Amino acid sequence: MPAIQTKAMTKTYRYTEQRPGLGGAVRGLFRPDRRERVAVDTLDLTVPRGQIIGLLGPNGAGKTTTIKMLCGLLRPTSGEVEVFGHRPAKRGYDFLSRISVVFGQRSMLWWDVSTYDSLLIHREMYALPKPRFDQAVEDLSERLQVQDILNIPVRKLSLGQRMRCELILALLHGPDLLFADEPTVGLDVVAKLTVRNFLAELNRDLGTTIVLTSHDMNDVAALCERVAVINHGRIIFDGDLTALRGRADAGIDADLDQVMSKLFTEAADA
């Protein structure tokens, strides 16, 4: 059984468009102009266990919507989606205990308390025995080199320190699948390298499946054995980086940002 399996997964948003001015507001009350926008369009995706896959695309392409459906935060409008055999939208405990999500621009840590206090809250949420909790905290904090900052209030940590602590929180319960949405956004070069090395070790040592979204092509080149490129809710490429460069008629050392730009230009012209 693969870690992730989707068939024709689609998400459509329905909304009302209001014309400008008071007259438009009044007309909208009696004759609303209803529209639809397809964020994810019949997406088929299979991710084997233990793989690191990069989910790439421009802003608004449907990457985050896809991740939210895969982790159960959104329900697909149509199609099928299974993660480790579970229907994510049901948000069952067995399913939630096997996944975790890290959003680079959103924090799960409590701002005014220490990271360790947030970890204690998550210990209760996942009903972790104390020996397992203590071992996880020791192992993760050592790997991420944050042993000396776990008891400092989160608001006093740097962005790089907070992201490393976010990863400890996300991985405390030992999930089999990690969704990492822009985990290195805003970080300096050293902090980015630390996060990349940690994710690579996590996959190599524990076999954790990782779905990575990033606009930093260095993240992708360093971590992903496979990339799926999404544009307007559809997958326009699925393969390794060598094949991606070949698709864009670029050399093996070609800059990945330029490769992606050419790919999106071709898709727009098609």
Side-chain angles (χ1 to χ4, degrees):
M1 179 189 299
I4 296 171
Q5 178 81 60
T6 76
K7 294 181 180 179
M9 184 175 69
T10 300
K11 183 62 180 179
T12 302
Y13 290 105
R14 295 177 175 85
Y15 64 97
T16 300
E17 190 170 277
Q18 181 175 305
R19 296 178 183 178
L22 179 60
V26 173
R27 281 193 294 272
L29 290 173
F30 299 98
R31 299 171 63 182
D33 186 7
R34 294 189 172 88
R35 302 289 181 90
E36 288 189 351
R37 181 176 70 86
V38 179
V40 176
D41 190 2
T42 58
L43 188 143
D44 294 333
L45 181 68
T46 300
V47 180
R49 299 187 186 204
Q51 187 174 76
I52 303 181
I53 180 172
L55 204 58
L56 311 181
N59 290 329
K63 304 185 302 298
T64 300
T65 300
T66 296
I67 284 183
K68 287 182 176 180
M69 286 190 285
L70 293 176
C71 65
L73 293 174
L74 289 176
R75 185 183 298 271
T77 305
S78 62
E80 299 178 6
V81 53
E82 287 191 354
V83 177
F84 294 119
H86 296 276
R87 297 297 174 95
K90 292 184 177 180
R91 303 285 288 174
Y93 177 80
D94 289 342
F95 165 70
L96 294 176
S97 65
R98 299 191 68 179
I99 71 161
S100 194
V101 187
V102 171
F103 291 106
Q105 296 179 329
R106 301 171 196 170
S107 178
M108 295 188 298
L109 294 166
W110 290 78
W111 190 249
D112 291 315
V113 302
S114 70
T115 296
Y116 192 78
D117 287 330
S118 290
L119 294 175
L120 289 173
I121 293 172
H122 273 238
R123 176 196 167 192
E124 296 299 323
M125 287 172 55
Y126 290 101
L128 298 178
K130 191 173 187 307
R132 179 181 169 188
F133 169 79
D134 291 340
Q135 184 61 49
V137 172
E138 180 181 355
D139 179 54
L140 291 169
S141 61
E142 182 178 349
R143 286 175 181 266
L144 288 162
Q145 302 172 12
V146 294
Q147 301 99 317
D148 57 339
I149 63 172
L150 290 182
N151 292 304
I152 297 175
V154 172
R155 56 185 165 80
K156 293 186 177 182
L157 301 179
S158 69
L159 181 59
Q161 289 172 330
R162 288 204 304 272
M163 176 48 63
R164 283 181 282 164
C165 291
E166 290 279 357
L167 285 167
I168 292 178
L169 192 71
L171 297 167
L172 183 67
H173 60 290
D176 298 309
L177 171 61
L178 173 67
F179 296 100
D181 189 20
E182 298 284 355
T184 65
V185 65
L187 303 187
D188 61 37
V189 174
V190 175
K192 285 185 177 184
L193 183 59
T194 299
V195 171
R196 286 177 197 145
N197 288 342
F198 172 74
L199 293 177
E201 289 178 5
L202 185 72
N203 173 259
R204 183 189 66 232
D205 297 345
L206 302 179
T208 305
T209 307
I210 300 175
V211 178
L212 172 75
T213 67
S214 179
H215 287 103
D216 189 330
M217 291 298 103
N218 290 321
D219 289 347
V220 177
L223 290 170
C224 300
E225 54 192 278
R226 173 188 172 196
V227 293
V229 182
I230 297 180
N231 196 36
H232 298 299
R234 287 179 172 268
I235 292 180
I236 61 173
F237 174 85
D238 188 349
D240 61 24
L241 291 178
T242 300
L244 178 62
R245 290 185 172 97
R247 170 76 176 269
D249 295 322
I252 191 169
D253 296 322
D255 183 86
L256 280 176
D257 288 307
Q258 295 177 353
V259 171
M260 294 290 288
S261 177
K262 185 173 182 180
L263 194 64
F264 296 137
T265 300
E266 292 175 351
D269 293 340

